Amino acid sequence: MATLRAHSLQACSGIRRNIISRRTCLRAMAGRMILYDVPVSNNGARNRYIIRKKGLEGEIDIVSPQTIGGLKSPQYLALNPQGKMPLLILEDGTPLPESEVISQYLLDKFASQGDSLVAATPEARAKAALATRIHDVYIVPIQGAMYRSMDSAETRAKQIEQIAYQLNVLEGIVEGPYVAGSQVTSADAALFPTFVFFEFMLPTYFGWKDVFAGRPKLAAWWNNMKADPVAAKIMEEIRGGLNGWAASNRWRDQGISDHVANTAHKWAY
Ligand SMILES: N[C@@H](CCC(=O)N[C@@H](CS)C(=O)NCC(=O)O)C(=O)O
């Protein structure tokens, strides 16, 4: 980790001509944390949820990766070689990528501030960890089937079927009223933003009647989460981004509408 601050300072030195980026770098060097993220990012939204639930807005600035040239720029790749968001820059300039690692760091670092977001028992903590892992390992890698271009309708259809399967897996895990029981945890933070994707995209572009039909535990959980003002704000941010994608005809231009028109495959579950 010792060289990571050097990386972030190196990234800063390459962008002197951009005034916003320069300000961002100066902030990092002055000891404030920075979260690189954008409103539509579901993975980053789990961190934004935790930041707000814990009242950390005064400690962490949220800025777009565009301020340092975008996700694939040399400056950004020097900080996160995966070229993905979110990315947290710690007070000493250390870059910390991967949304769940960032979540757990924030819960640890600010354990005594705001809501704990950690379940009270080992069993409930295991349940939160399991739901988060199912989401991160089996859903996040294929979520692009809902909104990205893909070589074949067949691959897309298989991944949409897999999303339906993993929804059933989560239905079997969620305890209620929150993922791990009576307390909101980082698992709720991880899952909720992706359900904003599901609830918007699967009915609108893939013909699903209702993502929650036949999944009563997830349905109750979704309604509880939507009643939380912090979650409602996350939903509004993500929906804003998705509405922008819809307005610019993303699903037509990425070839998704054409794939779904192919009735040789099943799209709605
Ligand atoms: N495992 C990563 C996944 C990050 C990820 O896929 N982020 C998306 C946004 S939600 C991204 O950066 N996509 C742009 C790209 O892959 O080029 C995490 O949890 O942080």
Side-chain angles (χ1 to χ4, degrees), residues 39-40 196 233-247:
V40 78
V196 177
K233 183 171 163 62
I234 291 289
M235 183 161 176
E236 191 187 310
E237 287 174 352
I238 297 174
R239 275 294 194 104
L242 298 180
N243 287 336
W245 287 359

Side-chain angles (χ1 to χ4, degrees), residues 41-43 46 71-72 83-86 98-99 140 148:
S41 153
N42 63 322
N43 287 298
R46 80 177 80 181
L71 292 173
K72 312 302 174 197
K84 288 184 184 294
M85 62 194 150
E98 290 298 321
S99 58
V140 170
R148 280 198 174 146

Side-chain angles (χ1 to χ4, degrees), residues 47-119:
N47 301 144
R48 303 199 302 272
Y49 180 85
I50 288 173
I51 287 168
R52 289 166 190 156
K53 281 296 235 192
K54 286 194 151 293
L56 303 176
E57 294 94 330
E59 330 253 350
I60 304 173
D61 293 318
I62 303 176
V63 302
S64 166
Q66 283 305 329
T67 60
I68 55 167
L71 292 173
K72 312 302 174 197
S73 69
Q75 290 90 341
Y76 194 89
L77 290 172
L79 297 169
N80 180 6
Q82 308 295 348
K84 288 184 184 294
M85 62 194 150
L87 166 68
L88 184 69
I89 309 295
L90 308 188
E91 290 161 338
D92 69 353
T94 301
L96 190 66
E98 290 298 321
S99 58
E100 191 51 28
V101 176
I102 296 169
S103 283
Q104 296 308 319
Y105 170 77
L106 295 176
L107 296 192
D108 188 6
K109 177 93 177 165
F110 300 99
S112 58
Q113 197 166 324
D115 292 3
S116 119
L117 303 175
V118 177

Side-chain angles (χ1 to χ4, degrees), residues 169-222:
V169 173
L170 288 175
E171 173 69 15
I173 292 172
V174 165
E175 189 74 30
Y178 300 107
V179 168
S182 58
Q183 207 183 326
V184 180
T185 67
S186 54
D188 299 288
L191 267 56
F192 182 77
T194 307
F195 274 77
V196 177
F197 277 18
F198 293 151
E199 199 248 357
F200 178 78
M201 296 182 208
L202 294 172
T204 310
Y205 299 104
F206 297 90
W208 291 38
K209 278 211 175 63
D210 178 0
V211 167
F212 299 99
R215 301 182 177 108
K217 287 194 158 179
L218 283 171
W221 165 77
W222 173 247

